[in-house]
């Protein structure tokens, strides 16, 4: 197994919310004790319904939000420890590509300035070197050198995402968060952007944390997967193994809801009953129990532990107790 590059240990993010006329106050447990690790060079996918906490984890990994508790270690070092210079060095190594390239690119700046921004912010190179680096980055992402003179609105969605990828690559990062990187793009160009992300991963030895709700994309693109439900990790493992033999009833229900080309496959869409509960008042015991078709006596009262169900494959469910 390759070295662990990113290690998340018992990570928590709790928000206090004030009560009002129509709302009770309390603590939202957006991320509630999540642990996983990502080996150098792999692609780890976080999946789960909206509000499960995956985007909050990404923000904490990118130092856009501070954890309430727990640790995020990058190459063995807690990213929050050290000096401001250490934090800056980490930010240089950990970049991100977001869902909507139009929203993430300043519409008033030319592409040359957009791509050069991180180089200028980190004081990398003189103006000639930066000019050369911008040209090189445009070439890496498959755009002509003339693209440097244009504004974001002069590109298609796919081309804008290429610009965002060029900017994310500018500082030679080791790690990238890909937050729904293709979901805002036309279906016809999604494969091209995925191929580009796969090519640069290989060329620059990048490690990815991808957040996606498209399970077909996760199956195709990631090497390991973590399934989240209401702020907790319910299953982790190699993607091929989890998709072939999902162990947690929530993962089983999620995968069963994916449309398959097989005309005889009838996804049991009613398998996940009801709505996801509020992170302000999560159900006791197993948080999934009000919706779980397999719930039994201990589920509403005891929090399930993680059990190994295969090589590097774990799930938190009372059914897996031996
Ligand atoms: Fe379902 Fe119980 Fe397992 Fe939770 S612990 S997933 S409620 S069977």
């Amino acid at each position: 197994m390759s070295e662990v590059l990113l290690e998340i240990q018992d990570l928590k993010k709790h928000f206090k919310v004030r009560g009002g006329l129509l709302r009770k106050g309390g603590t939202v447990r957006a991320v509630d004790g999540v642990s996983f690790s990502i080996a150098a060079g792999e692609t780890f996918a976080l999946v789960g319904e909206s509000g499960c906490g995956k985007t909050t984890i990404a923000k904490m990994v990118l130092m856009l939000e501070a954890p309430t508790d727990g640790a995020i270690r990058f190459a063995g070092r807690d990213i929050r420890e050290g000096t401001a210079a250490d934090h800056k060095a980490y930010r240089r190594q950990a970049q991100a590509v977001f869902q909507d390239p139009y929203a993430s690119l300043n519409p008033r700046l030319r592409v040359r300035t957009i791509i050069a921004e991180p180089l200028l912010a980190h004081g990398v190179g003189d103006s000639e070197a930066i000019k050369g680096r911008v040209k090189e980055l445009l070439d890496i992402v498959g755009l002509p050198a003339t693209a440097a003179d244009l504004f974001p609105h002069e590109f298609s969605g796919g081309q804008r995402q290429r610009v965002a990828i060029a900017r994310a690559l500018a500082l030679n990062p080791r790690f990238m968060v890909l937050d729904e990187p293709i979901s805002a793009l036309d279906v016809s160009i999604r494969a091209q952007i995925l191929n580009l992300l796969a090519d640069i991963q290989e060329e620059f030895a990048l490690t990815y944390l991808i957040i996606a709700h498209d399970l077909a994309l996760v199956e195709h693109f990631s090497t390991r997967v973590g399934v989240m439900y209401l702020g907790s990790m319910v299953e982790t493992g190699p993607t091929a193994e989890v998709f072939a033999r999902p162990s947690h009833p929530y993962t089983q229900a999620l995968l069963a809801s994916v449309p398959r080309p097989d005309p005889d496959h009838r996804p049991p869409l009613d398998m996940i009953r009801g709505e996801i509960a509020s992170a302000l008042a999560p159900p006791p015991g197993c948080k999934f129990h009000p919706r779980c078709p397999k719930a039994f006596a201990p589920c509403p009262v005891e929090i399930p532990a993680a059990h190994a169900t295969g090589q590097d494959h774990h799930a938190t469910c009372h059914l897996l107790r031996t």
Side-chain angles (χ1 to χ4, degrees):
M1 169 125 175
S2 315
E3 62 154 324
V4 169
L5 185 65
L6 187 84
E7 190 184 3
I8 307 276
Q9 193 182 4
D10 203 17
L11 191 64
K12 293 180 182 149
K13 181 68 187 180
H14 297 171
F15 301 96
K16 292 252 182 265
V17 284
R18 281 211 208 126
L21 266 181
L22 300 172
R23 191 178 66 180
K24 267 172 94 178
T27 302
V28 172
R29 295 167 186 274
V31 177
D32 202 16
V34 167
S35 302
F36 62 96
S37 59
I38 310 181
E42 81 172 349
T43 299
F44 188 96
L46 275 180
V47 301
E49 289 162 286
S50 300
C52 70
K54 52 192 195 302
T55 298
T56 307
I57 289 179
K59 285 181 179 165
M60 290 190 278
V61 167
L62 291 168
M63 294 187 85
L64 300 174
E65 282 191 11
T68 306
D69 203 359
I72 301 171
R73 291 188 201 93
F74 186 80
R77 254 181 107 157
D78 193 314
I79 62 170
R80 288 183 301 154
E81 287 176 359
T83 61
D86 293 326
H87 297 167
K88 192 170 178 183
Y90 169 69
R91 287 197 171 99
R92 190 172 164 166
Q93 297 192 68
Q95 297 287 321
V97 174
F98 295 102
Q99 176 176 14
D100 182 351
Y102 201 65
S104 67
L105 304 178
N106 187 332
R108 287 187 292 276
L109 299 181
R110 291 185 198 275
V111 159
R112 163 190 329 286
T113 313
I114 289 172
I115 297 177
E117 253 182 349
L119 298 163
L120 293 164
H122 285 262
V124 179
D126 58 21
S127 63
E128 261 323 287
I130 289 177
K131 211 168 153 188
R133 178 71 175 141
V134 168
K135 195 167 167 233
E136 182 184 33
L137 287 160
L138 286 170
D139 186 51
I140 290 168
V141 300
L143 290 172
T146 50
D149 298 321
L150 305 177
F151 291 95
H153 73 265
E154 295 178 87
F155 294 92
S156 68
Q159 288 170 329
R160 281 198 290 267
Q161 198 59 306
R162 286 176 192 269
V163 172
I165 293 168
R167 186 179 58 178
L169 276 178
L171 292 164
N172 279 322
R174 294 175 72 188
F175 172 74
M176 270 195 206
V177 170
L178 308 175
D179 187 358
E180 300 280 7
I182 58 164
S183 59
L185 306 178
D186 276 0
V187 173
S188 58
I189 49 145
R190 289 180 178 180
Q192 293 171 20
I193 297 299
L194 280 185
N195 287 341
L196 173 62
L197 289 168
D199 288 348
I200 61 168
Q201 180 174 36
E202 198 178 322
E203 189 172 349
F204 302 108
L206 287 164
T207 303
Y208 287 152
L209 169 62
I210 184 166
I211 292 173
H213 67 269
D214 178 347
L215 294 173
L217 157 68
V218 168
E219 184 175 19
H220 167 76
F221 194 69
S222 68
T223 42
R224 284 173 65 240
V225 64
V227 182
M228 290 191 65
Y229 186 78
L230 216 53
S232 299
M233 190 72 89
V234 297
E235 184 159 359
T236 55
T239 305
E241 157 93 7
V242 170
F243 274 66
R245 281 173 291 282
S247 297
H248 193 281
Y250 178 61
T251 315
Q252 290 164 1
L254 268 188
L255 295 181
S257 67
V258 177
R260 298 271 166 193
D262 174 3
D264 294 330
H265 176 79
R266 293 276 178 274
L269 289 172
D270 59 347
M271 204 164 161
I272 312 185
R273 300 173 297 185
E275 299 269 311
I276 191 165
S278 162
L280 187 57
C286 172
K287 293 177 189 170
F288 187 53
H289 85 261
R291 303 172 77 191
C292 181
K294 298 180 179 173
F296 63 118
C299 302
V301 282
E302 285 175 41
I303 296 172
H307 300 275
T309 66
Q311 182 80 28
D312 189 32
H313 183 182
H314 296 85
T316 53
C317 174
H318 290 308
L319 289 168
L320 303 168
R321 292 197 292 209
T322 48

